[in-house]
Coordinates of all heavy atoms in Angstrom, one line a residue:
A1 N 131.7 30.8 203.5 CA 131.8 31.1 202.1 C 131.8 32.4 201.7 O 131.9 32.8 200.4 CB 130.6 30.2 201.3
G2 N 131.7 33.4 202.7 CA 131.7 34.9 202.4 C 130.4 35.5 202.4 O 130.3 36.7 202.2
Y3 N 129.3 34.8 202.5 CA 127.9 35.4 202.8 C 127.9 36.1 204.1 O 128.5 35.6 205.1 CB 126.9 34.4 202.5 CG 126.9 34.0 201.0 CD1 127.4 32.9 200.6 CD2 126.0 34.7 200.1 CE1 127.4 32.4 199.3 CE2 125.9 34.3 198.8 CZ 126.6 33.1 198.4 OH 126.5 32.7 197.1
V4 N 127.2 37.1 204.3 CA 127.0 37.9 205.5 C 125.6 37.8 206.0 O 124.7 38.0 205.3 CB 127.4 39.3 205.3 CG1 127.2 40.2 206.6 CG2 128.9 39.5 204.8
P5 N 125.5 37.4 207.3 CA 124.1 37.3 207.9 C 123.5 38.7 208.2 O 124.2 39.6 208.4 CB 124.3 36.5 209.2 CG 125.8 36.9 209.6 CD 126.4 37.1 208.4
T6 N 122.1 38.7 208.1 CA 121.3 39.8 208.4 C 120.1 39.4 209.2 O 119.6 38.4 208.8 CB 121.1 40.7 207.3 OG1 120.2 41.9 207.7 CG2 120.3 40.0 206.2
L7 N 119.6 40.3 210.1 CA 118.4 40.0 210.8 C 117.2 40.6 210.2 O 116.0 40.5 210.5 CB 118.5 40.4 212.2 CG 119.5 39.7 213.1 CD1 119.6 40.3 214.6 CD2 119.3 38.2 213.2
N8 N 117.5 41.3 209.1 CA 116.5 42.1 208.3 C 116.2 41.4 206.9 O 117.1 41.5 206.1 CB 116.9 43.5 208.1 CG 115.7 44.4 207.6 OD1 114.9 43.9 206.8 ND2 115.9 45.7 207.8
A9 N 115.1 40.8 206.8 CA 114.7 40.1 205.5 C 114.8 41.0 204.3 O 115.2 40.6 203.2 CB 113.4 39.5 205.6
E10 N 114.5 42.3 204.5 CA 114.5 43.2 203.4 C 115.9 43.4 202.9 O 116.1 43.8 201.7 CB 113.8 44.5 203.8 CG 112.3 44.4 204.1 CD 111.7 45.7 204.4 OE1 112.4 46.8 204.5 OE2 110.5 45.8 204.7
Q11 N 116.9 43.4 203.7 CA 118.3 43.6 203.4 C 119.0 42.4 202.7 O 120.1 42.6 202.3 CB 119.0 44.1 204.6 CG 118.6 45.4 205.2 CD 119.4 45.8 206.4 OE1 120.2 45.1 206.8 NE2 119.1 47.0 206.9
A12 N 118.3 41.3 202.8 CA 119.0 40.0 202.4 C 118.9 39.9 200.9 O 117.9 40.2 200.3 CB 118.3 38.8 203.1
D13 N 119.9 39.2 200.4 CA 119.9 38.8 198.9 C 119.3 37.4 198.8 O 118.6 37.1 197.8 CB 121.3 38.8 198.4 CG 122.0 40.1 198.4 OD1 121.5 41.0 197.6 OD2 122.8 40.3 199.3
V14 N 119.4 36.6 199.8 CA 118.8 35.3 199.8 C 118.1 35.1 201.1 O 118.7 35.3 202.2 CB 119.8 34.2 199.5 CG1 120.9 34.1 200.5 CG2 119.1 32.8 199.5
L15 N 116.9 34.6 201.1 CA 116.2 34.2 202.4 C 115.9 32.7 202.4 O 115.6 32.2 201.4 CB 114.8 34.9 202.3 CG 114.7 36.4 202.5 CD1 115.2 37.2 201.3 CD2 113.3 36.9 202.8
V16 N 116.2 32.2 203.6 CA 116.0 30.7 203.8 C 115.1 30.6 205.0 O 115.2 31.1 206.0 CB 117.4 30.1 204.2 CG1 117.3 28.6 204.3 CG2 118.5 30.4 203.1
V17 N 114.1 29.7 204.8 CA 113.2 29.3 205.8 C 113.4 27.9 206.1 O 113.2 26.9 205.2 CB 111.7 29.6 205.4 CG1 110.7 29.1 206.5 CG2 111.4 31.1 205.2
N18 N 113.8 27.5 207.3 CA 114.0 26.1 207.7 C 112.7 25.7 208.3 O 112.4 26.0 209.4 CB 115.2 26.0 208.7 CG 115.7 24.6 208.8 OD1 115.3 23.7 208.0 ND2 116.5 24.4 209.8
T19 N 112.0 24.9 207.5 CA 110.6 24.5 207.8 C 110.4 23.4 208.8 O 111.3 22.6 208.9 CB 109.8 24.1 206.5 OG1 110.4 23.0 206.0 CG2 109.8 25.3 205.6
C20 N 109.3 23.3 209.4 CA 109.0 22.2 210.2 C 107.8 21.5 209.5 O 106.8 22.1 209.2 CB 108.5 22.6 211.7 SG 108.1 21.2 212.7
G21 N 107.8 20.1 209.4 CA 106.7 19.4 208.8 C 106.2 18.3 209.6 O 105.6 17.4 209.1
F22 N 106.4 18.5 211.0 CA 106.1 17.3 211.9 C 104.5 17.2 212.0 O 104.1 16.0 211.8 CB 106.6 17.7 213.3 CG 106.3 16.7 214.3 CD1 106.5 15.3 214.0 CD2 105.9 17.0 215.5 CE1 106.2 14.3 215.0 CE2 105.6 16.0 216.5 CZ 105.8 14.7 216.2
I23 N 103.8 18.2 212.2 CA 102.3 18.0 212.3 C 101.7 19.2 211.5 O 102.4 20.2 211.0 CB 101.8 18.1 213.7 CG1 102.2 19.4 214.5 CG2 102.3 16.8 214.5 CD1 101.7 19.5 215.9
E24 N 100.4 19.1 211.3 CA 99.7 20.1 210.5 C 99.9 21.5 211.0 O 100.1 22.4 210.2 CB 98.2 19.7 210.5 CG 97.4 20.4 209.3 CD 96.8 21.8 209.8 OE1 96.7 22.0 211.0 OE2 96.7 22.7 208.9
A25 N 99.8 21.7 212.3 CA 99.8 23.1 212.8 C 101.2 23.7 212.5 O 101.5 24.9 212.2 CB 99.7 23.0 214.3
A26 N 102.3 22.8 212.6 CA 103.6 23.2 212.2 C 103.8 23.6 210.8 O 104.4 24.6 210.4 CB 104.7 22.3 212.6
R27 N 103.2 22.8 210.0 CA 103.2 23.2 208.5 C 102.5 24.4 208.1 O 102.9 25.2 207.3 CB 102.6 21.9 207.7 CG 103.4 20.7 207.8 CD 103.0 19.7 206.7 NE 101.7 19.1 207.0 CZ 101.4 18.2 207.8 NH1 102.4 17.5 208.5 NH2 100.2 17.8 208.0
R28 N 101.3 24.7 208.9 CA 100.6 25.9 208.7 C 101.5 27.1 209.0 O 101.5 28.1 208.3 CB 99.3 25.8 209.5 CG 98.4 27.1 209.3 CD 97.0 26.9 209.8 NE 97.1 26.6 211.4 CZ 96.7 25.4 211.8 NH1 96.3 24.5 211.1 NH2 96.8 25.2 213.1
E29 N 102.1 27.0 210.2 CA 103.0 28.1 210.6 C 104.1 28.3 209.5 O 104.4 29.4 209.2 CB 103.6 27.9 211.9 CG 104.6 28.9 212.4 CD 105.4 28.6 213.6 OE1 105.4 27.4 214.0 OE2 106.0 29.5 214.3
S30 N 104.7 27.2 209.0 CA 105.7 27.3 208.0 C 105.2 28.0 206.7 O 105.9 28.9 206.2 CB 106.3 25.9 207.7 OG 107.0 25.3 208.8
L31 N 104.0 27.6 206.3 CA 103.4 28.2 205.1 C 103.1 29.6 205.3 O 103.4 30.4 204.4 CB 102.2 27.4 204.7 CG 101.5 27.8 203.5 CD1 102.4 27.6 202.3 CD2 100.2 27.1 203.3
E32 N 102.6 30.0 206.4 CA 102.2 31.4 206.6 C 103.6 32.3 206.7 O 103.6 33.4 206.1 CB 101.6 31.6 208.0 CG 100.1 31.0 208.0 CD 99.5 31.0 209.3 OE1 100.1 31.2 210.4 OE2 98.3 30.7 209.4
T33 N 104.6 31.7 207.3 CA 105.9 32.4 207.3 C 106.4 32.6 205.9 O 106.9 33.7 205.5 CB 106.9 31.6 208.1 OG1 106.4 31.5 209.5 CG2 108.3 32.4 208.1
M34 N 106.4 31.6 205.1 CA 106.9 31.6 203.7 C 106.1 32.5 202.9 O 106.7 33.3 202.1 CB 107.1 30.2 203.2 CG 108.2 29.4 203.7 SD 108.5 27.9 202.9 CE 107.1 26.9 203.5
L35 N 104.8 32.4 202.9 CA 103.9 33.3 202.2 C 104.1 34.8 202.5 O 104.2 35.7 201.7 CB 102.5 33.0 202.3 CG 102.0 31.6 201.6 CD1 100.6 31.3 202.0 CD2 102.3 31.7 200.2
G36 N 104.3 35.0 203.8 CA 104.5 36.4 204.3 C 105.8 36.9 203.7 O 105.8 38.1 203.3
L37 N 106.9 36.2 203.7 CA 108.2 36.6 203.2 C 108.1 36.8 201.6 O 108.7 37.7 201.1 CB 109.3 35.6 203.6 CG 109.7 35.7 205.1 CD1 110.7 34.5 205.4 CD2 110.3 37.0 205.5
A38 N 107.5 35.8 201.0 CA 107.4 35.8 199.6 C 106.6 37.1 199.1 O 106.9 37.6 198.0 CB 106.7 34.6 199.0
S39 N 105.6 37.5 199.8 CA 104.9 38.7 199.4 C 105.7 40.0 199.3 O 105.4 40.9 198.6 CB 103.7 38.9 200.3 OG 104.1 39.2 201.6
G40 N 106.8 40.1 200.0 CA 107.6 41.2 200.0 C 108.9 41.1 199.2 O 109.8 42.0 199.3
L41 N 109.1 40.0 198.5 CA 110.4 39.8 197.8 C 110.5 40.7 196.7 O 109.6 41.0 195.9 CB 110.5 38.3 197.3 CG 110.7 37.2 198.3 CD1 110.7 35.9 197.6 CD2 112.0 37.5 199.0

């Protein structure tokens, strides 16, 4: 569609986190990842 990938979250216009919800430990990791990214948006 014309969007360009980047490995640097700070350079991105849109950030996508593909979460895991299988068990509690996986959800905790997903939440920590999302909160970490959200804090720098």
Side-chain angles (χ1 to χ4, degrees):
Y3 292 91
V4 176
T6 178
L7 298 178
N8 188 334
E10 294 181 358
Q11 295 178 357
D13 298 285
V14 58
L15 287 71
V16 182
V17 176
N18 198 11
T19 63
C20 179
F22 180 46
I23 57 177
E24 192 276 331
R27 293 193 294 275
R28 183 167 59 248
E29 180 188 12
S30 295
L31 182 61
E32 290 172 353
T33 299
M34 287 187 286
L35 289 173
L37 290 171
S39 66
L41 285 176

